[in-house]
Amino acid sequence: MTQEIIIAGFGGQGVLSMGKIMAYSGVMQDMEVSWMPSYGPEMRGGTANVTVILSNERISSPILQTFDTAIILNQQSMDKFEEKIKPGGTLIYDSNGIFNLPTRKDINIYHIPAAKEAGKIGNIKTFNMIVLGGFLKIFPIVEMDNVIKGLKKSLPERHHKLIPMNEEAIKRGLGVVETIQTV
Amino acid sequence: MGELRLMKGNEAIAEGFIRAGVDAYYGYPITPQSEVMEYLMLEQPEKKTGMVVLQAESELAAINMVYGAACTGKKAVTSSSSPGISLMQEGFSYIAGSEVPAVVLNVARGGPGLGDIQPAQSDYFQSVKGGGHGDYRQIVLAPSSVQEMYDFVSIAFDLAYKYRIMVLILSDGAIGQMMEKVVLGDQIPRMTNQEIKDKYDSWAITGRTPGREHNVITSLDLDQENLERHNHHLQAKYREIVEKEVVFEEYAIEDAEYLMIAYGTSARICHKAVQLGREKGIKVGLFRPITLWPFPDKRIKELSNQVKGILSVEMSAGQMIEDIMLAVESKIKVEHFGRYGGVVHSPEEVVIALETKIIGG
């Protein structure tokens, strides 16, 4: 099993840290992982993306042009990455901030209203964990226990008090993901 | 098994410096390798092993601090990225001339000039042919994973001390910035002053030793006959390294009709490109030089009898291809492919290049 994933959105949405938690969850599950960020002058408000690969085999290229799954969190990223999903692959998006919805017919599409749910929780910082929950609902490739372990590993000790809230957000994500189309 | 962590390449190599028992790191920040010094400053190895971590006032200062520390037999290291490495070239030449062991890391970025901060492999010429003056060589190791960033520290210091030579670890922004699993080894203790004296007394500046002449470390010799002799000695040492220290890795070579040659990040991309090519029915293999100098030319020459064509894949305008062409002696077709200036080619682009430049060309 190999999952090649791109997570793309605005800087400040927690794109890179969501990828990091995914990667750490994979490590906890004894998988091979790679986490390759777009690094550069992107800051809060700019675009940010990260390629995460989870695999049971040695990972070849950490840099990819096509993906099994794209998690898309803003319009620029939709414009850039919708076409880069492999046929039969998966697109997960939050419609908040996206005005041109995906049009491809040869991929699975899911909607995760993460910004709306984060609003309900009352903490916008839980946004990325809700998205992660949605991903895990569609691809239960890492067990929840390992995700929590991954969360602990990737958060500095002083932030460990936030783990229950993040766990709650992941569970919300599991519940609110909607299927738009499957192929 | 050792301790398992998820780390950036830059963090892994910094941890590697600590655990290899390095005595001193001198550096000056530059993207995309600033995490090396950031990690060391956070870890505070001076409290664990006594290792010195110092931000120098410039790259020139940093490399000369390495030079100075190395003269005393201490394990010293610096790191930078392409423009900073250019500033250090004078020091590299002096280190070569005075034959002291040192390790330098280049997390290369796009050039020329200040260029950008994205990954590139356009420092190949500078690394393997010598960016400083004089007839000198340095061993160049090219890691292609975060694990190798960690592992190559000890290998680099072993080689540096075995030959009293500078070893350059040539990485790039992609390996520096990406995170992968790393297995960390045990802490190697720093050598004591007495151990250094016992081991390196024949050359190192370790203080007055009764009964022997004082050691002199210099790259200056105004007597041309002497300097020629010194150069002969250096060349003999370089020939020995060429004979003994070549390292490479092969993938899907056995039945290969075509060959990709790539190092570092490009080798990872080509690993995938080989898989994609084989899915299309192309019998293609990958040859990865791990030592860029000494270059694995003998093995490439052997392989040129087996394959019909070679695609050299580098994030540059084509630099390593010159060494491949020398090895192959024009017997088969050799072409270059690569994006550069900080753009990284995709595995798909590499396969198309193989099809158009080598198979169909």
Side-chain angles (χ1 to χ4, degrees), chain B residues 299-355:
Chain B
R299 179 61 183 148
I300 290 173
K301 190 177 176 181
E302 275 172 28
L303 287 169
S304 69
N305 296 319
Q306 176 192 327
V307 299
K308 295 178 197 161
I310 294 175
L311 187 67
S312 171
V313 184
E314 282 183 279
M315 282 132 54
S316 78
Q319 301 191 9
M320 180 177 64
I321 187 172
E322 293 189 3
D323 285 332
I324 297 170
M325 289 175 106
L326 282 172
V328 169
E329 294 169 351
S330 307
K331 279 187 298 192
I332 56 168
K333 188 167 190 176
V334 181
E335 292 282 347
H336 162 76
F337 174 71
R339 303 288 301 271
Y340 47 104
V343 181
V344 181
H345 31 254
S346 69
E348 287 84 356
E349 285 176 304
V350 174
V351 176
I352 292 168
L354 179 74
E355 288 173 319

Side-chain angles (χ1 to χ4, degrees), chain A:
Chain A
M1 195 288 301
T2 299
Q3 257 281 354
E4 297 173 336
I5 306 156
I6 180 96
I7 312 170
F10 287 122
Q13 275 180 321
V15 165
L16 299 187
S17 53
M18 181 183 2
K20 201 168 155 184
I21 291 160
M22 263 190 200
Y24 252 122
S25 310
V27 172
M28 294 298 129
Q29 194 135 320
D30 212 17
M31 298 172 92
E32 297 302 318
V33 303
S34 89
W35 177 93
M36 180 75 226
S38 66
Y39 65 93
E42 300 99 338
M43 295 290 281
R44 196 172 296 269
T47 57
N49 67 68
V50 60
T51 302
V52 177
I53 306 175
L54 303 171
S55 181
N56 296 322
E57 289 155 38
R58 175 179 164 179
I59 291 169
S60 54
S61 177
I63 294 160
L64 300 168
Q65 195 176 40
T66 58
F67 305 91
D68 297 312
T69 300
I71 300 174
I72 291 178
L73 304 170
N74 67 5
Q75 187 62 48
Q76 289 97 316
S77 303
M78 183 70 85
D79 297 342
K80 192 169 173 191
F81 293 111
E82 183 185 0
E83 62 187 61
K84 292 186 175 170
I85 301 167
K86 296 177 196 169
T90 299
L91 167 61
I92 303 169
Y93 72 99
D94 182 354
S95 62
N96 181 50
I98 288 177
F99 38 91
N100 293 326
L101 294 178
T103 54
R104 279 184 56 181
K105 297 290 171 220
D106 61 339
I107 53 172
N108 304 301
I109 301 180
Y110 299 90
H111 174 236
I112 174 93
K116 200 168 118 191
E117 282 299 308
K120 284 186 200 164
I121 293 175
N123 188 342
I124 192 64
K125 285 186 180 166
T126 59
F127 170 80
N128 61 347
M129 291 300 98
I130 298 168
V131 176
L132 178 61
F135 170 82
L136 290 171
K137 173 76 179 177
I138 303 159
F139 296 108
I141 47 176
V142 279
E143 288 161 25
M144 188 54 90
D145 280 0
N146 288 324
V147 177
I148 303 305
K149 279 188 207 160
L151 203 56
K152 276 188 187 144
K153 277 272 187 184
S154 61
L155 284 176
E157 200 104 352
R158 64 181 192 279
H159 289 149
H160 277 194
K161 58 180 187 295
L162 301 173
I163 287 173
M165 185 172 67
N166 281 294
E167 194 176 347
E168 172 60 24
I170 293 170
K171 285 181 181 150
R172 287 270 191 128
L174 288 168
V176 298
V177 65
E178 303 158 8
T179 306
I180 306 291
Q181 70 180 39
T182 55
V183 293

Side-chain angles (χ1 to χ4, degrees), chain B residues 145-165:
Chain B
S145 67
V146 173
Q147 183 70 53
E148 285 186 345
M149 287 286 265
Y150 176 82
D151 291 342
F152 283 12
V153 174
S154 288
I155 294 170
F157 272 105
D158 287 349
L159 288 167
Y161 277 81
K162 185 173 173 188
Y163 295 103
R164 281 165 57 197
I165 195 168

